Amino acid sequence: MKTEPLTSSSGAPYYEHQDSQTAGPRGPVLLQDFILQENLAHFVRERIPERVVNAHGTGAYGKFTVTHDITKYTKAKLFAKTGNTCRVFARFSTVGGEKGSADSARDPRGFALKFYTEDGNWDLVGNNTPVFFIKDAKKFPDFIHSQKRTPKDHLKSATMMWDFWSLNPESLHQVLILMSDRGTPVGYRHMHGFGSHTFSMINAENERLWVKFHFRTRQGIRNFTHQEAVMMCGENPDFAQQDLCEAIAGGNFPKWTLYIQVMTEEQAKHYRWNPFDVTKVWFHDDFPLIEVGELELNEIPVNYFAHVEQAAFSPANLINGISFSPDKMLQGRLLSYADAQRYRLGANYHLLEVNRCPFGFRNYQRDGAMADSAAYADLPNYHPNSFDTIKPDAAYRSFEYETESNYISHFNRNLNDDDHYTQPGLLYSRAMNPTDRENLVQNIITSMSKISGEKRDEIVNRQLCHFFRANLEMGMKIAKGLQVTIDSSMLNHSKI
């Protein structure tokens, strides 16, 4: 079959579709990677007007309270002393379903938090899982397309979904979590939340540490079985939203405890896995959880559309003392999330009540659709000027650092970082109990049984090889359930 070159939207052929251009293998993503920008910018404009992902959700206001001293890790004012509090808005959602879909479906859950701090709004935009399917944002549009609907018949497709996963073994860790009962939590109150990405903290001595954020539910983990989730999707497609609203209305305020994991820059150089790979976790034995504070949700918004539907989050919204990392997925999201909100809500989305910093803002952005001049009236719209009182504060100077390389390339995200199987294998053999393992296997069999078409055997066999590499017992049980005869060549291939 004759092939044709891959091209940009302007028709220019290009090669690097899989890996973002970075400054060194673990360096930051470069803005000049125009294919990354073009694909993400087009992707967030594919639907009007609901969110492309995380469309079906609910939200609530609450407060965050600092309970433990972490000033040796960060100079963020929020964490300056124990007892500090700030208002918070939380939005929970399914990821792949449309706005009218059922919120008990098998899917990751969005776990997005907006902290209204005196140093600006801090958005921690994560999921209910510590890992994700892919490690480079350049692949995100392709991944979501594979989880959505087929172009021809506009139906969900197990074939399309498993084809993508089988061709991207980095997804295996998240696939096992999704296919376990953790993929169908009982509402939003009974699940953990994670920042997922690696972030950094900067302390008063201008020292940088790498961190991960964990919110552990105090309500206890509860999950539906596959059968229970399917039944709830039919009986009450808004179960998770109703559960949260009724709990808060009844005074049963849900709470989570915030923990962080901390890794030094020196430890990051020598850790077994790339610490900036969002498909991997940091083992708690290596980097123990450190308690930080308490999140409580205690207020349902007075108007769903104004607050929940128009809530706009971006991982780029950080505060002094908390910063980025070279995590390639995070770096891509820094652009695409804010860009998605400017498209969906308009250039002035940050002026809406739910998104507005209650402590005010001072900049030179003006005009655009639905501009509100209350914050700046007739003040100058340029800098520097001789008239206003706004002056850049050196105390908020960005953290300066050297990258590990000045060699620019489209580095293969899996080069020397291709162990996609050890952590999923440990998840199955050590983290799951026998019931969890049995349910996982049955859920995978149920889902993969729907793969159809002329490529069915190829997709099934390719994915089975990934299961074998993670855990032979798991692979054999899934193969038996799918009525696949295993020969020695498949097992040998899985050991490569």
Side-chain angles (χ1 to χ4, degrees):
M1 182 169 59
K2 183 181 178 181
T3 62
E4 296 177 311
L6 178 68
T7 75
S8 68
S9 60
S10 63
Y14 71 95
Y15 176 75
E16 298 292 351
H17 187 71
Q18 296 287 321
D19 300 293
S20 295
Q21 190 178 57
T22 59
R26 295 187 180 182
V29 175
L30 302 185
L31 188 63
Q32 69 188 31
D33 188 344
F34 71 96
I35 294 298
L36 170 67
Q37 312 296 352
E38 177 179 281
N39 285 348
L40 290 177
H42 183 278
F43 174 69
V44 299
R45 290 163 171 80
E46 288 182 357
R47 299 288 185 274
I48 301 173
E50 74 174 31
R51 289 170 168 86
V52 179
V53 291
N54 304 100
H56 189 172
T58 192
Y61 286 99
K63 68 174 181 178
F64 176 75
T65 304
V66 178
T67 59
H68 290 71
D69 183 5
I70 59 167
T71 52
K72 66 179 178 179
Y73 303 128
T74 178
K75 58 186 176 183
K77 289 182 180 178
L78 173 62
F79 301 110
K81 64 178 181 179
T82 58
N84 276 0
T85 65
C86 74
R87 198 172 191 225
V88 175
F89 181 78
R91 187 177 186 274
F92 307 113
S93 61
T94 54
V95 173
E98 296 86 3
K99 188 176 178 183
S101 60
D103 61 16
S104 297
R106 184 170 303 282
D107 204 4
R109 300 300 192 270
F111 196 105
L113 300 172
K114 187 181 294 291
F115 298 80
Y116 302 98
T117 87
E118 59 182 305
D119 259 353
N121 292 347
W122 169 33
D123 291 356
L124 189 60
V125 194
N127 287 324
N128 69 325
T129 59
V131 295
F132 197 61
F133 297 92
I134 52 176
K135 61 175 74 174
D136 192 318
K138 207 167 191 177
K139 298 178 67 64
F140 190 70
D142 295 310
F143 163 64
I144 294 297
H145 284 164
S146 75
Q147 309 298 299
K148 287 283 193 174
R149 298 178 180 273
T150 61
K152 183 177 181 179
D153 57 21
H154 198 59
L155 296 173
K156 294 290 186 73
S157 168
T159 303
M160 188 164 65
M161 182 173 68
W162 284 100
D163 185 40
F164 181 89
W165 288 340
S166 68
L167 289 166
N168 290 275
E170 68 200 66
S171 68
L172 184 60
H173 199 171
Q174 175 72 305
V175 167
L176 293 190
I177 296 175
L178 175 65
M179 288 294 154
S180 75
D181 289 344
R182 290 283 179 112
T184 50
V186 176
Y188 300 123
R189 297 182 297 128
H190 296 283
M191 65 184 193
H192 294 331
F194 302 88
S196 299
H197 299 292
T198 297
F199 292 87
S200 59
M201 281 186 167
I202 316 297
N203 65 19
E205 284 69 47
N206 210 36
E207 298 167 330
R208 180 173 65 177
L209 295 158
W210 305 117
V211 298
K212 283 185 177 289
F213 296 98
H214 302 249
F215 287 85
R216 300 178 74 87
T217 177
R218 292 192 184 177
Q219 290 68 241
I221 290 287
R222 290 182 59 197
N223 300 304
F224 288 126
T225 64
H226 175 71
Q227 293 77 12
E228 290 170 338
V230 170
M231 185 178 297
M232 185 58 71
C233 286
E235 290 182 354
N236 183 0
D238 298 313
F239 166 79
Q241 178 164 334
Q242 181 177 343
D243 177 73
L244 180 70
C245 291
E246 289 183 348
I248 294 176
N252 184 20
F253 302 144
K255 296 181 180 180
W256 288 261
T257 302
L258 171 61
Y259 297 86
I260 58 173
Q261 288 178 286
V262 175
M263 181 186 294
T264 66
E265 294 199 33
E266 190 62 28
Q267 288 172 319
K269 295 176 182 178
H270 305 290
Y271 195 49
R272 177 177 179 180
W273 290 285
N274 177 0
F276 313 115
D277 178 353
V278 74
T279 68
K280 307 291 193 303
V281 298
W282 302 356
F283 288 162
H284 291 185
D285 288 344
D286 298 330
F287 303 97
L289 295 179
I290 300 169
E291 188 169 348
V292 176
E294 175 188 279
L295 169 67
E296 175 188 279
L297 300 182
N298 52 31
E299 178 188 343
I300 297 297
V302 295
N303 184 285
Y304 178 91
F305 181 85
H307 295 260
V308 181
E309 188 65 19
Q310 293 192 124
F313 299 88
S314 171
N317 292 339
L318 297 174
I319 55 177
N320 191 42
I322 301 175
S323 192
F324 316 116
S325 83
D327 179 331
K328 290 181 172 63
M329 271 297 294
L330 172 61
Q331 294 261 321
R333 295 175 77 203
L334 299 180
L335 165 84
S336 65
Y337 271 59
D339 186 49
Q341 305 303 346
R342 283 188 287 267
Y343 164 69
R344 192 173 67 90
L345 298 172
N348 291 300
Y349 70 89
H350 59 288
L351 300 177
L352 297 171
E353 180 181 2
V354 66
N355 303 318
R356 188 169 58 240
C357 177
F359 298 93
F361 61 92
R362 293 156 296 278
N363 60 35
Y364 299 92
Q365 296 173 10
R366 298 291 190 270
D367 307 333
M370 303 186 74
D372 181 348
S373 67
Y376 49 79
D378 61 347
L379 292 175
N381 61 355
Y382 61 94
H383 176 83
N385 68 76
S386 304
F387 306 100
D388 68 24
T389 59
I390 302 174
K391 302 295 179 186
D393 187 341
Y396 293 89
R397 189 187 303 274
S398 296
F399 180 78
E400 298 177 357
Y401 63 98
E402 292 184 0
T403 61
E404 65 178 35
S405 172
N406 59 6
Y407 186 80
I408 305 301
S409 180
H410 292 84
F411 292 93
N412 183 335
R413 67 194 181 284
N414 290 320
L415 184 65
N416 301 319
D417 188 28
D418 61 351
D419 180 4
H420 310 307
Y421 306 106
T422 298
Q423 290 197 3
L426 292 173
L427 175 67
Y428 178 83
S429 63
R430 295 188 183 180
M432 293 184 177
N433 61 40
T435 300
D436 293 334
R437 290 194 286 268
E438 182 62 27
N439 289 347
L440 168 67
V441 168
Q442 292 305 315
N443 292 338
I444 291 174
I445 293 170
T446 298
S447 181
M448 291 187 69
S449 295
K450 299 173 185 175
I451 301 174
S452 61
E454 62 181 17
K455 296 286 187 177
R456 179 190 183 278
D457 291 346
E458 177 183 335
I459 295 169
V460 168
N461 290 340
R462 188 164 55 223
Q463 185 63 42
L464 283 175
C465 287
H466 299 320
F467 292 139
F468 288 141
R469 289 186 179 189
N471 185 278
L472 183 60
E473 173 194 283
M474 175 176 65
M476 293 298 290
K477 287 183 175 181
I478 295 170
K480 181 179 179 181
L482 293 172
Q483 299 181 330
V484 174
T485 301
I486 303 303
D487 57 31
S488 58
S489 63
M490 183 180 293
L491 292 176
N492 289 334
H493 179 70
S494 71
K495 299 175 183 177
I496 295 175

